[in-house]
Amino acid sequence: MKVKHYVKDCNLDQIFDCGQCFRWEREEDGSYTGIAFGKPVNIAFEETAPLEGTLTIDNSCERDFESIWYPYLDLARDYGEIKRTLAERDSLMGEVIGSGPGIRILNQEKWETVISFIISQNSNIPRIKRCIETLARLFGTEAGEYAGRTFYNLPTPAVLADLSVQDLEPVKLGYRAKYLIETAKAVASDDGAILEKTGDMSVEEAYTYLTGLHGIGPKVANCILLFSMGKTESFPVDVWIRRVMNRLYGFAENDIAGMKAFAAEKFGSYGGIAQQYLFYYMRTRDGKKF
DNA sequence: TCGCAGGTGGTCG
DNA sequence: CGACCACCTGCG
């Protein structure tokens, strides 16, 4: 069954291929197939005007659309207004946004985001995707079939907590395996209760909890806050952001504190959204596409 | 071959 | 507290 919804400020490639998520694959027709919240679906976008058109979610229903896909795709947020505000506040942002005007910040599952960004450190997108799929296939539960493919959920904190580094060897996580296991133990110790509550905490409180977990430092914590906890002000500084902040604003590449202060001052509560535009701008410079 | 890829933890001054 | 540096794995 298909569900349709009209949206603005939308581009599927920019949303699913900008490094915020790792479980979606592009089909030949430009749609994306993947899984979130245990539901395998295909998401297509028929553009009827620039950045506007109809989203079609296949293998879903109205009920799931409202409870899962509407919030997941951040459809309540007016990105047009945000883009105008950012461009007003900074003279360079207009051009930066122009490289990825259809980006939307997904509201992903917390535990999946924790796993994904622990794995992401010092790695690259193809490998991150491979690790996550292998982890789900070997240690997760079956979520269902779609288009002849079987989809798997990621293992729960409890399941991962009982695994050894040796068990995880086939996933090829490298030194990140022990981070994952340690963090799973901590999260499973209260059955994920604190992790689930982080969305209601202040950013500072949630950040403190996250960075207290093994393998989660400032960058990964900020990604989790932005991509799964609705903290749009958090501004993850990775190597690409360091490069773009150096090139556009003249920051020294190691001046992370300066960059964060600049973002807080300039972009305020939209810092994380500005970060995605900046990231996409830098990664698509010079004709390169990831 | 060897450095580097969406960093972090550990150590040292 | 800031500046190193090792660390799994895979790819050019």
Side-chain angles (χ1 to χ4, degrees), chain A residues 25-289:
Chain A
E25 289 301 328
R26 191 181 201 276
E27 306 288 356
E28 284 187 6
D29 65 358
S31 68
Y32 279 78
T33 304
I35 175 171
F37 294 91
K39 311 278 187 175
V41 296
N42 173 268
I43 301 180
F45 180 58
E46 188 193 350
E47 195 174 45
T48 52
L51 302 172
E52 290 184 38
T54 305
L55 274 176
T56 301
I57 317 232
D58 187 31
N59 198 33
S60 190
C61 57
E62 284 295 341
R63 189 191 150 102
D64 280 356
F65 178 78
E66 280 168 31
S67 66
I68 297 175
W69 306 112
Y70 187 83
Y72 184 80
L73 295 163
D74 209 21
L75 297 180
R77 196 183 303 280
D78 182 353
Y79 280 79
E81 172 60 24
I82 292 172
K83 288 187 283 188
R84 281 190 292 278
T85 301
L86 290 173
E88 264 172 35
R89 290 190 194 167
D90 184 89
S91 60
L92 297 177
M93 281 308 284
E95 191 195 338
V96 169
I97 292 167
S99 71
I103 290 173
R104 310 184 72 88
I105 309 277
L106 298 174
N107 290 111
Q108 303 179 63
E109 294 165 83
K110 296 179 180 67
W111 176 238
E112 172 177 325
T113 311
V114 167
I115 289 179
S116 299
F117 285 91
I118 285 179
I119 291 175
S120 79
Q121 62 182 79
N122 207 23
S123 188
N124 53 70
I125 291 174
R127 184 180 165 205
I128 298 163
K129 285 186 166 185
R130 203 158 53 234
C131 287
I132 290 172
E133 288 321 306
T134 307
L135 188 64
R137 187 163 41 78
L138 295 185
F139 299 104
T141 53
E142 223 177 283
E145 298 205 2
Y146 175 74
R149 265 187 66 197
T150 304
F151 288 79
Y152 295 87
N153 298 305
L154 263 342
T156 62
V159 167
L160 215 40
D162 281 335
L163 265 31
S164 65
V165 170
Q166 198 174 12
D167 293 329
L168 285 173
E169 202 282 326
V171 187
K172 300 295 180 188
L173 295 168
Y175 60 86
R176 303 161 197 82
K178 64 177 186 299
Y179 294 166
L180 220 45
I181 293 168
E182 289 308 307
T183 287
K185 283 179 177 165
V187 172
S189 69
D190 71 344
D191 212 22
I194 298 181
L195 182 65
E196 281 312 310
K197 273 191 292 187
T198 46
D200 305 323
M201 298 177 187
S202 67
V203 202
E204 295 78 12
E205 206 179 347
Y207 179 86
T208 302
Y209 170 72
L210 291 170
T211 51
L213 298 169
H214 203 56
I216 299 184
K219 191 270 177 181
V220 169
N222 276 111
C223 284
I224 297 167
L225 289 168
L226 177 60
F227 299 135
S228 75
M229 295 171 185
K231 308 299 188 189
T232 56
E233 67 268 50
S234 65
F235 189 81
V237 178
D238 58 36
V239 58
W240 293 96
I241 292 299
R242 280 161 37 187
R243 284 174 195 158
V244 74
M245 294 297 279
N246 170 261
R247 182 184 291 199
L248 294 184
Y249 301 103
F251 283 95
E253 289 213 16
N254 62 352
D255 185 16
I256 295 174
M259 296 172 190
K260 281 180 176 289
F262 175 88
E265 160 75 18
K266 274 276 189 186
F267 309 131
S269 61
Y270 297 148
I273 299 171
Q275 191 267 9
Q276 282 304 98
Y277 293 129
L278 286 162
F279 179 82
Y280 197 86
Y281 169 83
M282 193 61 190
R283 292 220 57 165
T284 53
R285 281 301 73 183
D286 314 320
K288 282 182 208 156
K289 180 72 167 70

